[in-house]
Amino acid sequence: MYYRLADHIALRSWKGVILAYYVRNQVNPRPLTLRQAKALLLCDGEHDLEADDTIVGLMDKGMITACEKGEHPSDWSTCREYDNRCVPEMNLMITGKCNYNCLHCFNASDNAPLMTEWTFGELCDLFDQARDCGVNAFTITGGEPMVHKRFMDILREIHRRDMFVHELNTNGFYITQKILDEMKEIGCNPLIKISFDGTGFHDWMRDRRGAEQKTLDAMRLCIENGFKVKAQTQVHRKNVLSMMPTAGILNEMGVETMRIIRTTEAPRWAANAKDACLEIEEYYETMLAFSKEYISTGMKMNIDIWNYLRLYPKEESFHIVPVAYSAGEYKEKQPCCSSNRSMTAVTSSGEVVPCLQMSGKLQMDGISFGNLHTERLKDMLTSGRYLDTICTSAGDLKNNNSKCDACKWFVYCAGGCRALGYLFSGEAHDLCGEDVTKCIFFNNGWYEKVVKTLSAWKSLNSVGNV
């Protein structure tokens, strides 16, 4: 019997990964057993194979299909080998330009508008490099990415290379029916993440009159066209009381998730907002009160409170974000930040950074991990400071930070968010600084407060007896 790979399955191999597979339009590669790998390599329409347990199992999973001799897998599905390390996604800031001048923008090191931008030709070359490194998915961001004059062409070029746009970050201003129709035509169906900073406050935060109504209209249009929408909502002292009314509006519209983000001490926000930033425990307290009220409302929209809590109303469950590892799960060889490890972040000036939330401060501090206008992506994913940084393990972090090494909570938080660790600790620990927000969370009893306050719902993670 002859078999070939199903059209939605692609075999891939990287340095350190003997063989894995992508599922079309899903970001991360999945592991294979040695027996599965050997069988899949022979599912090329040329080998006559016995239908043993492995073949039957692959058929049951829909990974292979019976075929005639000579009926080969698609070019995308056929096994490809790469010499570099596996980083399946790119978070790409195609432009720093924006039609707004947001007071909190973490991409900037001061109040000057960002004017850097990739040319279309440069991006096409970058997409070739990404494809040749085994990159699968893109998050497209800015600035405001839709300001780029070749925005739709950029999306087309990604999909033309058999990669896909996983997420689109936008302020929603330029979203039209025509744009959404064109996206559907090329099979581009990303999660659309639209910034909305609270009813009554959005215009001020974005420094643009009429921005609030424009944003709500864009969300409705996306939802009407079948796109999933996540609202990205900054929270600070000025707008904290608007969070519940805002959640009500978004829930009624059909927004899938409201992500509430503590507006942090990034350089621009610190200059513009003075004392508007919520202190860490103030953030924990106000967002826990919000969560308690929210779960009593019966709303079904998911809530993602940045670096704190995720609420899943349909399952009546919650996830405590600072608990990176539940009791007994900690592994020293795991990357200290799985997001940094799996996603290359690239700024509008070509700088490669561990994550875009670091970009403004890295620029201010004069720190560079490399620039894709002068270096090749493959080289950065093969060796060097950038690769060493994103591959930093939890054990490496602990060994380079005496405070973390001595902390009983480390096996649960693994050092916390790397961007916040850098923001609060600077370069002293070479990006191995502790995330003090997690220190406060655990040492000041916030884990216990969360579990007690939300006891009506199920916690999806937990710590042991410490």
Side-chain angles (χ1 to χ4, degrees), residues 130-162:
R131 176 199 59 204
D132 294 343
C133 289
V135 173
N136 185 39
F138 283 82
T139 289
I140 299 297
T141 189
E144 169 49 49
M146 298 178 77
V147 165
H148 200 293
K149 293 180 179 180
R150 302 294 297 273
F151 172 73
M152 277 308 307
D153 290 330
I154 290 166
L155 301 191
R156 290 188 185 95
E157 289 298 317
I158 291 171
H159 283 261
R160 189 171 68 82
R161 290 166 173 80
D162 276 324

Side-chain angles (χ1 to χ4, degrees), residues 278-292:
L278 291 166
E279 297 293 338
I280 304 302
E281 292 199 83
E282 188 180 6
Y283 173 67
Y284 289 153
E285 182 177 0
T286 55
M287 289 298 95
L288 185 55
F290 165 85
S291 298
K292 181 179 180 180

Side-chain angles (χ1 to χ4, degrees), residues 93-98 114-120 122-123 142-151 154 347-350 373:
M93 190 196 307
I94 61 174
T95 181
K97 299 176 183 178
C98 188
L114 291 174
M115 299 304 292
T116 49
E117 183 175 271
W118 286 83
T119 69
F120 181 63
E122 289 169 340
L123 286 170
E144 169 49 49
M146 298 178 77
V147 165
H148 200 293
K149 293 180 179 180
R150 302 294 297 273
F151 172 73
I154 290 166
T347 73
S348 57
S349 63
H373 290 309

Side-chain angles (χ1 to χ4, degrees), residues 367-381:
I367 298 173
S368 175
F369 288 85
N371 192 293
L372 288 174
H373 290 309
T374 58
E375 302 174 59
R376 305 298 289 177
L377 178 63
K378 181 177 180 180
D379 293 336
M380 292 191 184
L381 299 184

Side-chain angles (χ1 to χ4, degrees), residues 204-435:
W204 170 74
M205 193 78 167
R206 302 289 155 173
D207 197 23
R208 180 70 174 260
R209 181 178 295 181
E212 178 170 333
Q213 189 59 52
K214 186 73 175 176
T215 300
L216 292 173
D217 290 344
M219 289 183 178
R220 290 190 182 95
L221 188 61
C222 290
I223 293 167
E224 289 169 2
N225 279 270
F227 290 88
K228 293 181 179 180
V229 171
K230 174 185 280 191
Q232 305 254 69
T233 306
Q234 298 289 325
V235 64
H236 43 81
R237 286 178 182 157
K238 292 181 180 293
N239 75 345
V240 66
L241 295 180
S242 75
M243 291 299 103
M244 189 57 66
T246 300
I249 292 170
L250 299 176
N251 178 78
E252 186 176 353
M253 288 170 53
V255 169
E256 182 176 80
T257 303
M258 177 184 180
R259 186 183 188 210
I260 302 175
I261 307 165
R262 174 182 172 266
T263 316
T264 62
E265 297 87 341
R268 179 179 283 193
W269 179 246
N272 288 327
K274 308 303 180 188
D275 62 349
C277 186
L278 291 166
E279 297 293 338
I280 304 302
E281 292 199 83
E282 188 180 6
Y283 173 67
Y284 289 153
E285 182 177 0
T286 55
M287 289 298 95
L288 185 55
F290 165 85
S291 298
K292 181 179 180 180
E293 182 179 357
Y294 184 82
I295 69 174
S296 71
T297 64
M299 295 187 207
K300 298 303 181 184
M301 176 179 65
N302 292 335
I303 299 291
D304 182 355
I305 303 175
W306 178 71
N307 265 300
Y308 190 22
L309 282 168
R310 297 189 186 114
L311 308 178
Y312 303 105
K314 294 178 182 178
E315 295 81 24
E316 295 191 351
S317 62
F318 62 93
H319 178 92
I320 304 173
V321 177
V323 183
Y325 297 93
S326 287
E329 293 181 348
Y330 171 77
K331 297 178 181 178
E332 290 210 341
K333 291 185 178 181
Q334 286 286 100
C336 61
C337 179
S338 58
S339 295
N340 292 358
R341 178 63 188 85
S342 62
M343 179 189 290
T344 301
V346 183
T347 73
S348 57
S349 63
E351 288 290 305
V352 173
V353 294
C355 79
L356 285 181
Q357 281 74 12
M358 294 181 181
S359 59
K361 181 158 172 55
L362 287 170
Q363 178 185 347
M364 185 174 69
D365 291 347
I367 298 173
S368 175
F369 288 85
N371 192 293
L372 288 174
H373 290 309
T374 58
E375 302 174 59
R376 305 298 289 177
L377 178 63
K378 181 177 180 180
D379 293 336
M380 292 191 184
L381 299 184
T382 302
S383 63
R385 187 185 181 192
Y386 168 72
L387 186 65
D388 290 344
T389 299
I390 66 169
C391 290
T392 298
S393 68
D396 293 333
L397 192 156
K398 183 178 68 168
N399 292 335
N400 282 279
N401 188 311
S402 59
K403 184 174 180 180
C404 288
D405 187 41
C407 181
K408 65 183 181 180
W409 299 107
F410 185 83
V411 294
Y412 303 112
C413 80
C417 171
R418 293 299 81 227
L420 290 177
Y422 172 53
L423 179 66
F424 289 118
S425 301
E427 200 180 5
H429 296 290
D430 194 25
L431 302 182
C432 283
E434 69 277 3
D435 172 359

Side-chain angles (χ1 to χ4, degrees), residues 91-109:
N91 192 359
L92 177 59
M93 190 196 307
I94 61 174
T95 181
K97 299 176 183 178
C98 188
N99 55 314
Y100 294 166
N101 190 33
C102 306
L103 303 183
H104 67 292
C105 183
F106 60 72
N107 293 324
S109 59

